[in-house]
Amino acid sequence: MSLRRLFRRNREDGDLAQEIDLHLAEEIDENIARGMSAEEAQRQARIKFGHPEHIRENLWEQNTLRFADNMWRDVKYATRSLLRSPGFTTIAILVMALGIGANVALFAVVRSVLLTPLPYKDPAQLVAIYQHMQENKDRNGWMPVDAGSFREWQESTQNIAELALITPFQGYNVSAEGGKLPEQIDAGWCSDNFFKILGVMPALGRNFTPDDDRPQAQATVILSSSFWHRRYSGDRTIIGKSIWLDAKPYTVIGVLPDSFIYSSPFGGNKVQVWTPVHYEAPAMLLNTFEDHEFLTVARLLPGTTLASLISQLNGVQRQIKADHPNPAVHDEVVGRSMLDDAVGDYKTSLYTLLAATGCVLLIACLNVASLLVARTAAKSKELAIRAALGGSWLRLLSERLTESLILSSAGGAVGLLLAWGALQWLVTARHDMFRVQSIHTGGAIFAFTLAAILFSALFSGLVSAISSNRKQIVVSLQEPSRTHSGGQSRAGLRKILLAVEVGLTVVLLVGAGLLLKSYQHLRTTDLGVPMDNVLTMRFSLPDARYPKREQILSFFETFLGKVRATPGVSSAGLVSTAPGQGWDGDYLLNVVEHPPLPHGQEYDVMSRGADPGYFSAIQIPLLNGRFLNDDERLDRGNVVVISESTAKLCFPGEDPIGKHLKISYSGQVVQVVGVVGDTRWSISRPVHPTMYFPIYGNNYSVGTVVIRSTQNVESLAMPVQKEIGAMDPDLPVSNVMTLRETVRTSTLDSQFNSLLVLAFAVIALLLAAAGLYGVLAYLVTQRRSEIGIRIALGAQRDHVLRLMLLDGLRPAILGLFLGLVASAAVVRLIKSMLYDTQPFDAIVFVSVTGMLLLVAGIACLAPAWRASRLNPMQALRME
């Protein structure tokens, strides 16, 4: 009955009035029948039934939900009140939309990328295992594993875990069949139990079996869903057919589901095809304890913890180290959950962005709360009269909260639309991010939006309600019109809110400044070579088609000759990996002319293969000795050119030319013939000692051609690719980019993070400036008569201007101090995101201080100027 009356109020009230009138009429008729006059009959009937309005009120009390009815009345009243102030309402809704929308978008990203379990069976039981080397600071000590150690691990842990061996660092050339162009794709090798351990069943076909994972097995492959759809148009008859990878036929036995994705800090999220590791990898690589080319995934069996598994593996690894006292054999094992392993590169940056959006939401709430405080002050007389007529403070509080809830709900609805648009942009702009395709809106996102709306409504509403408690309402009613103590108390509250808002803004500005400076350092980092007009492209010669070193050498030389003859090419060279494009392997070394170093203390030097023309093409300066020669090939390739940092590391204070280096792994001895300048293997990593082998004299079948031109080098990409296609139609190229593009690609994460935080900081700064302007404008309005009296009594207008400016700048200065103190604590948390930038960068802190004071001064100047220009007679007449 009560719910029906709540939603059918007018009709129910009409029916009740008719029913009461009917009963009164019947009683009057009965009284007249008893002999009463008409007037007496009506009087007696009213005495018996009571007044009709009183009856209706009593029945309404009994048959309605008072709380719901009061809420509905509050909603209607607040809506009408807000519609009468469209400017205030629009600003408040937009401010809330920015704060809520940013938080909803980032929460959706964090939830999908960091919090949602991986799409595997019992993902909490899956862990990633690594070997650890304290000395390797470039890669934080977490190292891929060697296959020999894995074999020992697997045998010793059969009762507590299942282990799988993978290497997602491979690549295949897909031949040009069916009229399609050849292409180079990322590939992974895995043991036959890899997908079984993950609990992943192919959407089509079957998984690998032990029979597939043997050196003598037939070549088989499992395709990723994206590659199957893109390359083969989702052909369901692909199972059992052959595709050509690296000029060899592979039988397709399965297609993975859409949801499958694998990622690690070393890569893997772009793998298009998987093949059996024991079929692909050479026997030497599968039995060595020194070559770290693999990753390990394990499923913990019931009752096993990661700590117990690592403890057991460490015991095994220490025994391996004792049996194989080679410096390349590690003696420590580390591990973490597979989810933490997959999202390690994104966790800090995403949580930082989420914290930034949280600051934006708090600033938005503070701004709206400040607006509501001013709105409450404008209605203080009305509230005082309503309180005097019997309105309880709780009823008035309910109205304030309802008003805040309506603003927050409207802002949340607009913010949800903004968040949806932001997520669509993110999926397009950052398609390289792990699990970005899984980002979506759903029940959890709507629940978070609702929580953000409720938080914003309660925060803003309660803060504004503080300014209108019962005592202040009574005082407001008692005050004469010239008294402004109540207004001053509300101004004090707004100043406190503004100081907190400015403090949060300072934190965002400092964070954005540090990230921007870090990004600028990355963009301007010297790779060690001139980067303008340099084009690179990578290709790989398949062993099946080029099984002999002589064939590879012939292809390299013929191809380079054609490239150098291409119009527009100034110079060209060949290198295994160009600067800024990756690690490409390393060796532990001893200097033959020096006493052997203790095990574990050998020199760690990165390796490259290069042709003689590479150094002039890339313009690496020669510092000593000579470059490589054309005749240093095949069996005459035991020479190296070393970088300057290698010379300082291995030959401090002496001339390295003519001296020899011994590779600990293979025992090969090479002679140093030249010293060249340093280059970086990654734009965000420090220079690492490097040595260059003759690419013609060692087992290199993968090359990156480096082309320098005096014209727009990008126009040469297609002619060079055509030359490769003419020599081998099935040979694709990849990573076709300039060195500038290499830097831009490497700094994408830093650019994205810094610009996004900067955007939040700018929004916060604008909101803080608006808050300063609003507070001072409010103070000028409240103190209009006081200012008029001051000027009338002889106060100088410049003195009034300074007085009002200082009044407005006080909360800004307090907020600045609080923000700088908070920033000193917060910047430590983003230290890992900074490159060549100290967390306590004086320039950033001073710049933020100057910018904040400048913006605050500008925001306060206009209302302060108006105050100093007041006509005292007009100000006093308004009272």
Side-chain angles (χ1 to χ4, degrees):
M1 177 63 181
S2 58
L3 287 177
R4 186 176 66 178
R5 283 188 54 79
L6 180 64
F7 293 104
R8 300 170 59 185
R9 168 68 52 81
N10 293 334
R11 182 174 176 180
E12 291 293 330
D13 284 348
D15 292 343
L16 181 60
Q18 289 180 7
E19 185 177 352
I20 293 173
D21 290 343
L22 179 61
H23 285 296
L24 276 173
E26 289 178 352
E27 184 65 25
I28 291 171
D29 291 342
E30 289 180 5
N31 289 340
I32 291 174
R34 294 187 188 105
M36 296 181 189
S37 65
E39 292 182 2
E40 182 64 19
Q42 187 175 16
R43 190 177 72 85
Q44 291 296 328
R46 290 185 179 276
I47 291 174
K48 181 178 181 179
F49 281 99
H51 196 282
E53 292 298 326
H54 184 63
I55 294 172
R56 280 200 294 268
E57 288 179 2
N58 286 338
L59 290 173
W60 176 82
E61 291 282 354
Q62 299 173 18
N63 297 316
T64 191
L65 295 174
R66 177 180 286 273
F67 171 76
D69 186 76
N70 288 341
M71 180 180 291
W72 179 240
R73 285 196 298 176
D74 288 345
V75 168
K76 291 193 295 183
Y77 175 80
T79 302
R80 288 196 302 267
S81 179
L82 290 172
L83 290 177
R84 286 196 295 268
S85 305
F88 162 83
T89 303
T90 301
I91 292 173
I93 289 175
L94 289 178
V95 169
M96 282 296 190
L98 285 172
I100 294 175
N103 276 269
V104 170
L106 259 296
F107 175 76
V109 175
V110 169
R111 179 178 178 273
S112 298
V113 176
L114 303 183
L115 304 180
T116 302
L118 295 171
Y120 309 138
K121 178 183 177 182
D122 298 328
Q125 301 300 112
L126 294 171
V127 297
I129 308 297
Y130 292 93
Q131 291 174 329
H132 192 251
M133 185 171 68
Q134 295 286 355
E135 295 81 6
N136 194 322
K137 297 179 181 179
D138 282 344
R139 287 172 286 178
N140 301 318
W142 289 62
M143 296 287 294
V145 305
D146 57 86
S149 294
F150 171 82
R151 187 177 63 250
E152 300 283 343
W153 296 353
Q154 194 173 38
E155 292 176 358
S156 66
T157 58
Q158 292 179 359
N159 296 327
I160 63 173
E162 296 180 84
L163 276 62
L165 185 69
I166 61 173
T167 173
F169 320 126
Q170 308 304 316
Y172 287 126
N173 296 332
V174 184
S175 298
E177 80 282 358
K180 300 181 180 68
L181 293 174
E183 64 174 305
Q184 190 173 81
I185 59 173
D186 291 326
W189 298 346
C190 63
S191 54
D192 64 272
N193 63 342
F194 174 56
F195 296 111
K196 176 188 173 185
I197 285 177
L198 297 183
V200 173
M201 289 298 297
L204 286 179
R206 63 174 177 84
N207 270 326
F208 293 123
T209 66
D211 287 338
D212 298 315
D213 195 17
R214 296 181 297 107
Q216 300 82 17
Q218 179 186 3
T220 55
V221 62
I222 294 179
L223 313 181
S224 71
S225 178
S226 61
F227 180 67
W228 173 55
H229 281 100
R230 176 177 58 80
R231 183 79 183 185
Y232 301 104
S233 304
D235 180 11
R236 300 183 68 86
T237 65
I238 191 72
I239 303 300
K241 294 183 178 179
S242 292
I243 63 173
W244 289 76
L245 305 176
D246 277 355
K248 290 171 52 180
Y250 284 74
T251 301
V252 178
I253 63 169
V255 176
L256 293 169
D258 289 338
S259 61
F260 177 80
I261 185 171
Y262 172 78
S263 182
S264 78
F266 293 88
N269 61 326
K270 296 181 180 179
V271 169
Q272 302 287 288
V273 299
W274 294 87
T275 54
V277 65
H278 292 93
Y279 172 79
E280 298 286 0
M284 182 188 70
L285 184 61
L286 290 171
N287 291 292
T288 182
F289 293 89
E290 294 86 21
D291 202 345
H292 306 274
E293 299 287 342
F294 299 94
L295 304 180
T296 297
V297 172
R299 176 174 289 279
L300 303 176
L301 296 181
T304 305
T305 64
L306 175 60
S308 62
L309 175 62
I310 296 300
S311 176
Q312 183 159 335
L313 291 178
N314 269 317
V316 176
Q317 193 63 32
R318 283 191 291 270
Q319 184 60 48
I320 291 173
K321 179 70 172 180
D323 295 339
H324 302 82
N326 188 299
V329 178
H330 304 323
D331 59 359
E332 186 179 2
V333 179
V334 290
R336 56 191 169 196
S337 73
M338 199 167 174
L339 178 59
D340 286 344
D341 190 58
V343 303
D345 290 343
Y346 300 103
K347 183 177 292 186
T348 301
S349 60
L350 286 181
Y351 279 136
T352 298
L353 292 175
L354 186 60
T357 59
C359 287
V360 172
L361 180 59
L362 281 176
I363 290 170
C365 291
L366 290 166
N367 230 289
V368 172
S370 183
L371 292 173
L372 288 173
V373 169
R375 182 176 172 80
T376 300
K379 299 170 65 176
S380 59
K381 292 295 183 183
E382 173 194 339
L383 295 175
I385 292 172
R386 291 175 62 189
L389 293 176
S392 70
W393 183 75
L394 288 177
R395 287 288 297 118
L396 298 178
L397 171 63
S398 174
E399 290 181 2
R400 302 280 75 73
L401 289 177
T402 302
E403 196 171 72
S404 178
L405 180 61
I406 291 173
L407 292 173
S408 298
S409 298
V414 176
L416 196 58
L417 292 176
L418 294 176
W420 181 85
L423 291 176
Q424 299 305 308
W425 166 80
L426 178 67
V427 171
T428 303
R430 292 303 312 272
H431 56 84
D432 60 315
M433 183 183 292
F434 174 62
R435 304 177 79 183
V436 70
Q437 299 301 330
S438 66
I439 298 174
H440 65 282
T441 56
I445 304 304
F446 287 109
F448 179 83
T449 305
L450 181 61
I453 290 172
L454 292 176
F455 168 80
S456 303
L458 289 173
F459 186 94
S460 303
L462 289 175
V463 169
S464 67
I466 293 173
S467 67
S468 59
N469 59 46
R470 179 177 292 278
K471 180 179 179 181
Q472 289 172 330
I473 289 173
V474 174
V475 170
S476 180
L477 185 61
Q478 294 172 343
E479 286 177 348
S481 61
R482 290 183 185 274
T483 306
H484 57 270
S485 59
Q488 287 287 67
S489 66
R490 294 185 182 96
L493 178 59
R494 293 188 72 188
K495 288 180 179 179
I496 293 173
L497 297 177
L498 184 58
V500 176
E501 184 178 333
V502 170
L504 291 172
T505 301
V506 170
V507 173
L508 283 177
L509 286 171
V510 169
L514 291 172
L515 290 173
L516 276 175
K517 189 168 185 178
S518 173
Y519 169 63
Q520 185 62 27
H521 284 164
L522 275 175
R523 287 298 305 268
T524 57
T525 296
D526 184 11
L527 278 179
V529 296
M531 291 188 290
D532 292 327
N533 290 323
V534 179
L535 180 72
T536 66
M537 59 180 66
R538 190 172 178 84
F539 61 91
S540 174
L541 302 180
D543 294 340
R545 189 172 293 139
Y546 301 90
K548 298 180 180 180
R549 293 170 63 191
E550 290 80 4
Q551 292 174 294
I552 296 174
L553 187 152
S554 175
F555 184 95
F556 283 169
E557 288 192 318
T558 303
F559 170 63
L560 275 178
K562 291 185 176 182
V563 172
R564 288 165 179 158
T566 302
V569 174
S570 301
S571 57
L574 199 63
V575 68
S576 55
T577 301
Q581 295 184 358
W583 180 257
D584 198 31
D586 58 330
Y587 291 113
L588 295 176
L589 306 174
N590 270 295
V591 178
V592 174
E593 287 79 8
H594 295 174
L597 295 171
H599 287 315
Q601 298 182 25
E602 287 91 342
Y603 303 121
D604 182 18
V605 179
M606 187 168 56
S607 66
R608 291 281 191 271
D611 88 293
Y614 164 72
F615 301 97
S616 59
I618 200 73
Q619 294 187 6
I620 298 178
L622 179 66
L623 305 179
N624 192 8
R626 63 173 177 84
F627 291 130
L628 300 173
N629 290 331
D630 287 333
D631 62 348
E632 290 166 341
R633 58 181 61 204
L634 298 178
D635 295 333
R636 297 189 300 276
N638 288 327
V639 296
V640 291
V641 169
I642 62 175
S643 66
E644 182 180 11
S645 58
T646 307
K648 292 178 179 178
L649 175 69
C650 301
F651 307 98
E654 57 184 298
D655 185 0
I657 303 303
K659 293 189 169 59
H660 299 80
L661 297 171
K662 182 178 181 180
I663 301 173
S664 300
Y665 169 62
S666 63
Q668 180 184 4
V669 176
V670 293
Q671 183 181 16
V672 177
V673 297
V675 179
V676 297
D678 285 316
T679 61
R680 292 177 182 266
W681 65 275
S682 172
I683 195 68
S684 61
R685 299 288 187 173
V687 168
H688 195 89
T690 307
M691 59 182 176
Y692 299 88
F693 292 92
I695 200 167
Y696 300 151
N698 291 270
N699 294 322
Y700 287 98
S701 60
V702 178
T704 298
V705 62
V706 176
I707 302 166
R708 185 174 291 277
S709 175
T710 56
Q711 62 183 46
N712 179 17
V713 75
E714 294 179 3
S715 64
L716 297 173
M718 190 55 66
V720 173
Q721 291 182 72
K722 288 182 178 178
E723 293 292 353
I724 290 182
M727 295 180 63
D728 187 340
D730 278 342
L731 191 64
V733 296
S734 63
N735 295 339
V736 181
M737 62 178 70
T738 65
L739 280 186
R740 290 287 181 191
E741 289 173 324
T742 297
V743 172
R744 188 160 55 246
T745 301
S746 301
T747 58
L748 185 60
D749 284 341
S750 178
Q751 179 190 35
F752 178 78
N753 295 333
S754 59
L755 292 182
L756 208 54
V757 174
L758 178 63
F760 296 147
V762 170
I763 292 172
L765 185 61
L766 292 175
L767 292 177
L772 283 165
Y773 177 88
V775 166
L776 194 53
Y778 176 75
L779 285 173
V780 170
T781 302
Q782 291 293 318
R783 301 175 63 180
R784 190 179 183 89
S785 60
E786 175 201 339
I787 296 170
I789 293 172
R790 285 176 178 269
I791 295 175
L793 293 177
Q796 297 297 317
R797 295 187 181 275
D798 58 344
H799 174 75
V800 174
L801 177 63
R802 288 196 302 272
L803 177 68
M804 298 310 297
L805 270 177
L806 288 175
D807 212 5
L809 287 175
R810 282 192 191 99
I813 294 172
L814 175 59
L816 175 61
F817 173 75
L818 294 175
L820 291 175
V821 172
S823 298
V826 170
V827 293
R828 301 175 186 270
L829 303 178
I830 64 170
K831 184 177 181 180
S832 62
M833 299 173 61
L834 303 179
Y835 172 77
D836 199 23
T837 304
Q838 294 300 318
F840 299 101
D841 188 282
I843 295 177
V844 171
F845 277 77
V846 171
S847 299
V848 168
T849 300
M851 181 189 302
L852 196 284
L853 291 176
L854 177 63
V855 172
I858 293 173
C860 293
L861 186 59
W865 177 263
R866 285 202 303 271
S868 69
R869 297 298 145 194
L870 274 178
N871 185 321
M873 298 306 296
Q874 291 180 351
L876 293 174
R877 285 197 196 103
M878 290 182 66
E879 289 293 316

